[in-house]
Amino acid sequence: MVHILENELLKVTIADKGAELTHVYDKESKTERIWSADPEIWNRHAPILFPFVGKTFNNRYIYKKQTYQMKTQHGFARDMEFTCIHSDKQSVTHCLKSTPETKEIYPFDFELYVTHSLNEENTRTLKIQWEIKNTGKEPMYYSIGGHPGFCTSLKAGEKREYYYLEFPDKEKLEYVLLNPATGFVITDKKCTLTLENGFYPIKKNMFDNDALIFENTQIETVRIASPDKTPFITLTCKGFPYVGIWSKPEGEFVCLEPWFGRTDNDNYSGTLEEKPGIQLLKINETKQIEYQIQFHQISK
């Protein structure tokens, strides 16, 4: 089942499966702003990554001297049916709770609430809120992240490479590389993105080695800018320790990904508690996180 949020400018669709944002239709430009989930390229729209971001090394992890299997990338929430507990034209809230099946691969009791809401003041802005609750009897270790894919090339003859990334007020940024053969972080190599007035052109081969991962809360605002450098998409993620930027080399889309956590290091052999980027919730503790997406008016 899907749920519709709507105002005079946007029509937003949220699915029960994965509590996933699947469509943002721009009424003014008559265009779809979210990636189509073309199965030949990338079969997702905007999955929620929980309880892990990325992969665990060798598809496993160690907690309290026990080995658990996590064979799917980005955890399991994106493939599960959430329960819708509230829905109207302005907001929709979904809930996912731990089950005996989830505890076989992730041994924690939790409740995850996901709310998508339209901004009443800025009618081109969508807010995404997560609330993670530790409902168990021991501290809970987790990661969570967003993975929205945004369509580029909305006009005839345009290509993704005509667009830019914009990092307001930044001159350069440092990012870590993934090993393209494994999908894990190469710990002894970092790269620098040198910007021109905050802009960096989206290059055809820039994602050949997978995502660019920016650590240490370097980025709290990132944009996709149109070929004329006017704002196209703005993602605001204050306080997020990680931001990933990714696409498929052949895909006419770009993902802007705010994360609390990241994939394992290459050849990682530590425990869950030592995992890079891991988050901790104490017993009965709740963590609330939010980010916003602004779908700017498309320049003519």
Side-chain angles (χ1 to χ4, degrees):
M1 185 174 177
V2 298
H3 306 269
I4 305 297
L5 311 181
E6 192 166 7
N7 60 26
E8 62 267 32
L9 293 176
L10 301 177
K11 183 177 180 180
V12 178
T13 305
I14 313 296
D16 285 344
K17 183 177 180 180
E20 185 175 5
L21 170 66
T22 59
H23 298 281
V24 174
Y25 181 73
D26 189 325
K27 297 179 181 180
E28 191 173 35
S29 63
K30 297 180 173 58
T31 55
E32 175 60 53
R33 307 295 297 269
I34 295 294
W35 170 244
S36 64
D38 182 343
E40 297 298 317
I41 300 175
W42 180 53
N43 65 344
R44 310 271 181 178
H45 302 278
I48 295 168
L49 319 181
F50 178 87
F52 297 123
V53 173
K55 297 191 291 184
T56 57
F57 191 71
N58 286 334
N59 297 322
R60 63 174 182 80
Y61 64 96
I62 298 171
Y63 176 66
K64 289 189 173 181
K65 298 182 179 181
Q66 182 173 341
T67 298
Y68 293 87
Q69 300 293 319
M70 184 60 69
K71 296 182 179 180
T72 53
Q73 181 171 242
H74 299 313
F76 50 72
R78 63 182 186 168
D79 295 316
M80 296 190 70
E81 289 290 327
F82 282 62
T83 299
C84 181
I85 60 173
H86 168 81
S87 181
D88 60 32
K89 285 194 172 184
Q90 290 301 309
S91 70
V92 58
T93 299
H94 284 89
C95 177
L96 180 69
K97 297 182 180 182
S98 53
T99 66
E101 291 73 26
T102 65
K103 291 187 72 173
E104 290 181 2
I105 56 175
Y106 179 68
F108 300 102
D109 291 299
F110 69 86
E111 294 178 2
L112 171 62
Y113 296 87
V114 179
T115 299
H116 293 80
S117 58
L118 288 170
N119 188 308
E120 294 182 3
E121 296 179 358
N122 187 338
T123 50
R124 286 192 166 275
T125 297
L126 179 69
K127 182 166 66 173
I128 297 92
Q129 296 170 293
W130 304 319
E131 184 176 290
I132 311 103
K133 293 184 176 182
N134 179 359
T135 58
K137 297 180 180 180
E138 60 183 333
M140 170 182 160
Y141 295 90
Y142 73 98
S143 299
I144 191 167
H147 199 314
F150 303 105
C151 294
T152 54
S153 315
L154 297 185
K155 298 178 183 178
E158 278 187 348
K159 294 184 178 181
R160 182 187 63 187
E161 289 73 40
Y162 296 175
Y163 287 71
Y164 295 84
L165 296 173
E166 182 186 0
F167 305 91
D169 303 318
K170 302 289 185 181
E171 296 181 357
K172 62 176 59 176
L173 295 162
E174 189 176 70
Y175 64 93
V176 299
L177 283 177
L178 297 179
N179 182 339
T182 65
F184 300 111
V185 169
I186 302 172
T187 57
D188 60 353
K189 186 174 183 181
K190 293 188 178 182
C191 297
T192 299
L193 205 66
T194 301
L195 311 176
E196 183 177 342
N197 297 320
F199 290 91
Y200 190 86
I202 297 173
K203 299 178 180 179
K204 185 174 181 59
N205 298 316
M206 71 185 297
F207 305 110
D208 283 359
N209 291 334
D210 212 311
L212 312 183
I213 300 177
F214 301 87
E215 300 184 299
N216 303 317
T217 318
Q218 290 182 80
I219 297 171
E220 294 190 314
T221 299
V222 55
R223 291 193 182 102
I224 301 172
S226 298
D228 63 1
K229 293 188 175 180
T230 57
F232 182 72
I233 296 286
T234 297
L235 185 140
T236 304
C237 52
K238 295 186 182 301
F240 279 70
Y242 302 92
V243 170
I245 301 179
W246 174 82
S247 185
K248 286 281 193 176
E250 67 275 25
E252 294 295 336
F253 69 94
V254 175
C255 290
L256 305 179
E257 308 179 37
W259 300 336
F260 273 76
R262 67 160 173 80
T263 192
D264 277 351
N265 294 332
D266 221 355
N267 297 309
Y268 181 69
S269 60
T271 65
L272 178 62
E273 297 95 318
E274 300 165 328
K275 177 178 166 65
I278 200 70
Q279 306 295 308
L280 172 65
L281 275 179
K282 298 176 183 178
I283 299 170
N284 295 323
E285 189 176 12
T286 297
K287 175 73 172 181
Q288 294 178 324
I289 302 169
E290 70 174 58
Y291 69 97
Q292 296 187 5
I293 305 167
Q294 185 171 359
F295 298 88
H296 295 275
Q297 183 179 31
I298 295 174
S299 57
K300 296 181 180 180

